[in-house]
Amino acid sequence: MQNLQEGIKKIKSVLSSADVITYEFSSSHGKKFALVYVDGLVDKLQLGELVVKPLSAAPQDCSIADVRAMLASPEVKEAGDAEGAIDEISYGSAVLLADGEDGYLSIGLTKPPARAITEPPTQVVVKGPREGFVEDLKINCALVRKRLRSPALRLDTIRTGRRSDTAVTVCYLEDVCNPEIPEKLKRQIAANEIDIVADSSYVGRFISSRPRSLFKRCGTCEKPDIFCAKLCEGRVGLIVDGSPIALTVPYMLAEDFQSAEDYYISSYRASTLRVLRLLAVVVGIFLPATYVAAQLFKLQLIPFRLLLNISSSVSGLPLSPGIEMFLTLFVLEVLNEASVRMPKYVGLAISIVGALVLGETAVTAGIISTPAIIIVAFSAICLYVVPDLVETTATLRWLALIIAGSVGTFGIVLLACFIVSYLVTEQSYGVPLTAPFSPLIAPDLKDGGIKSAMYSLSRRPRVLGSKNKVRLKVRRKDGKD
């Protein structure tokens, strides 16, 4: 028989923080109880209604099984010994102790602080759902269940991080995805030895075969509708507690050139936008480098009339074309970083100062030419057409500019060839990054570079190796499939 104070002492010897609350109360018959929980993680109102109020009539000789039967909370389980009770309290549950009774009862009345469901900032749509993931794992899993009511949906939760003990939920459709991928993901996540997993990007590094690569190996998603659509294609999703960004594998580079709105608008418009995004990224990476190379090594690349305007603009400048472009791009990156990190009203002021004061003054003073500012600004706009690739494309732009200033047009061509050759050899869980273009998989092209009509996407992507190949049954006019 365990004394109530002894049980509390065992817990408080480990959880001695001031936010760990101990609430002692007695029933009308003199039976003593104690609740131990973390302040701010438990719904106190429900705790009083579902736990304290029913136990107010508990008899003096009731056992721990009788106490459990009297509780009105639907989430009650035995916590085992003191160590198990400490784990349950750390996860946000309340632990109940009864005087003279061995064992601890864990009561799941968790209510941690959570942000309201809003539209994600990087995946804004005009048509389509506007719900976005938040930082609470249970809410995110509920958003997935809300859209996928299939009994084949599996949400397996594992914990990682030696000190944070962060929950990671592996989501997949058991009758669709390759069964080897979820098991491999679980092993990789459980094997890491990091102290804290603060965001899903940590997990993305753990499961990547080449974590130092410039190109990512996991798809990112902030909207439940996109996440569920990828699960239905045969992918496996990862939802990390505390992060509003979910991960999906296998990943293909073509995913980042697709938008959520592509599936809610005309297929012709969606195909046009996808081609536009690809061209914008190519222009954003290579336009500053091509401009520098054309001035230094091959002026014939520029049309004659445009060349006259550029020559008149750059005449008398004290800087070489390469240094001028490098300086302009450096100023743009500094302004961008400052506007992102500062408060919104200060960031707006910084943007105005950078555009009107620095830019106009630099041109008037003859330090930077007008074409250089136009090219750098247009390049930055092009890169943000595909926001999920900005980290990679911005780095490639710097690399292309350095090569163009030293080698010229030949170096730019070599860089482009190196990028393409590197991408065609990379894989994400057995799926090539450049699929369905390399290797060429003709059926998957319907949702690759172009977007075919919905009724023509009757098969899941072949490259993912899904067990269930059919995702749409089109009925003919005679009523047959």
Side-chain angles (χ1 to χ4, degrees):
M1 294 293 181
Q2 177 179 248
N3 182 270
L4 184 64
Q5 297 302 322
E6 292 178 356
I8 296 174
K9 187 177 180 180
K10 290 179 181 179
I11 296 176
K12 296 294 286 186
S13 63
V14 178
L15 299 177
S16 57
S17 179
D19 61 338
V20 179
I21 306 299
T22 301
Y23 174 62
E24 300 182 38
F25 62 97
S26 301
S27 68
S28 57
H29 300 283
K31 185 71 172 181
K32 294 181 179 180
F33 300 95
L35 284 167
V36 185
Y37 57 91
V38 177
D39 191 20
L41 295 183
V42 174
D43 190 339
K44 297 179 183 179
L45 181 61
Q46 294 293 324
L47 200 63
E49 291 292 329
L50 303 180
V51 178
V52 178
K53 189 174 181 179
L55 293 180
S56 62
Q60 180 68 35
D61 58 346
C62 65
S63 64
I64 194 69
D66 297 331
V67 172
R68 182 174 182 176
M70 296 176 66
L71 297 177
S73 174
E75 296 185 30
V76 180
K77 63 180 180 179
E78 294 184 6
D81 54 6
E83 184 177 351
I86 291 170
D87 290 339
E88 292 295 328
I89 295 172
S90 300
Y91 297 153
S93 298
V95 168
L96 177 67
L97 297 82
D99 189 29
E101 303 294 333
D102 294 327
Y104 303 83
L105 292 180
S106 173
I107 306 169
L109 294 176
T110 306
K111 189 180 180 181
R115 179 170 57 91
I117 298 175
T118 57
E119 186 174 11
T122 59
Q123 293 183 342
V124 181
V125 295
V126 178
K127 294 182 179 180
R130 288 175 170 80
E131 288 180 335
F133 286 129
V134 295
E135 288 77 9
D136 187 83
L137 180 64
K138 290 187 177 181
I139 295 177
N140 292 341
C141 292
L143 290 174
V144 175
R145 280 286 185 186
K146 174 184 174 182
R147 287 169 171 78
L148 289 180
R149 299 179 175 89
S150 170
L153 177 62
R154 296 291 179 265
L155 301 178
D156 300 335
T157 301
I158 56 178
R159 295 189 176 273
T160 182
R162 291 180 299 184
R163 297 187 183 275
S164 63
D165 202 24
T166 305
V168 179
T169 299
V170 182
C171 312
Y172 59 97
L173 289 172
E174 191 176 29
D175 60 344
V176 175
C177 81
N178 185 346
E180 297 179 358
I181 298 180
E183 297 302 322
K184 184 177 180 180
L185 283 171
K186 294 175 188 177
R187 291 194 302 267
Q188 290 177 323
I189 295 172
N192 81 83
E193 295 294 333
I194 194 170
D195 279 348
I196 181 173
V197 177
D199 184 71
S200 59
S201 58
Y202 284 55
V203 179
R205 295 296 180 183
F206 300 150
I207 65 177
S208 176
S209 58
R210 301 186 65 177
R212 292 182 176 86
S213 174
L214 183 60
F215 294 88
K216 60 183 183 179
R217 296 297 188 278
C218 303
T220 56
C221 179
E222 294 186 73
K223 290 173 64 64
D225 56 314
I226 304 176
F227 185 80
C228 293
K230 290 185 177 183
L231 295 185
C232 289
E233 287 184 343
R235 293 181 175 86
V236 180
L238 297 174
I239 303 177
V240 181
D241 192 18
S243 175
I245 300 177
L247 305 178
T248 56
V249 292
Y251 162 74
M252 293 180 290
L253 191 63
E255 294 179 38
D256 288 333
F257 293 91
Q258 300 171 355
S259 172
E261 203 168 0
D262 292 350
Y263 300 89
Y264 308 129
I265 60 177
S266 167
S267 59
Y268 301 104
R269 177 61 176 169
S271 301
T272 303
L273 292 177
R274 289 185 180 181
V275 175
L276 179 64
R277 295 182 195 117
L278 177 61
L279 293 177
V281 169
V282 174
V283 170
I285 295 174
F286 294 106
L287 180 59
T290 305
Y291 174 77
V292 171
Q295 286 195 72
L296 291 177
F297 301 98
K298 200 67 176 177
L299 294 177
Q300 288 81 0
L301 290 174
I302 304 176
F304 180 71
R305 292 187 178 181
L306 179 59
L307 178 61
L308 292 179
N309 292 334
I310 295 176
S311 299
S312 61
S313 300
V314 302
S315 60
L317 292 180
L319 304 176
S320 64
I323 297 178
E324 176 197 12
M325 187 62 65
F326 189 91
L327 178 62
T328 308
L329 191 57
F330 175 76
V331 173
L332 174 68
E333 293 287 357
V334 171
L335 289 173
N336 178 63
E337 189 69 13
S339 62
V340 170
R341 306 301 172 193
M342 298 297 288
K344 291 184 178 180
Y345 57 90
V346 180
L348 180 60
I350 290 176
S351 301
I352 295 175
V353 170
L356 299 181
V357 179
L358 291 181
E360 183 67 25
T361 304
V363 173
T364 304
I367 300 176
I368 299 175
S369 63
T370 303
I373 294 179
I374 295 175
I375 288 175
V376 168
F378 184 68
S379 172
I381 294 173
C382 288
L383 294 187
Y384 278 97
V385 171
V386 184
D388 290 334
L389 285 177
V390 168
E391 296 178 8
T392 300
T393 53
T395 304
L396 291 176
R397 180 175 58 180
W398 281 105
L399 183 60
L401 180 60
I402 294 173
I403 292 176
S406 56
V407 183
T409 309
F410 181 67
I412 298 176
V413 175
L414 286 181
L415 176 63
C417 294
F418 173 78
I419 294 173
V420 173
S421 62
Y422 177 81
L423 288 175
V424 297
T425 59
E426 290 300 305
Q427 294 184 345
S428 171
Y429 286 82
V431 176
L433 288 184
T434 53
F437 306 100
S438 177
L440 183 63
I441 305 175
D444 293 354
L445 292 176
K446 295 180 180 180
D447 196 19
I450 62 173
K451 169 66 172 62
S452 300
M454 186 62 66
Y455 59 82
S456 63
L457 302 177
S458 59
R459 299 278 178 174
R460 305 184 202 275
R462 181 178 298 180
V463 70
L464 296 178
S466 304
K467 292 189 296 184
N468 187 344
K469 305 297 182 182
V470 180
R471 63 176 171 184
L472 172 65
K473 291 185 178 181
V474 182
R475 294 195 175 274
R476 301 181 305 190
K477 293 182 179 179
D478 56 3
K480 299 181 180 180
D481 293 337

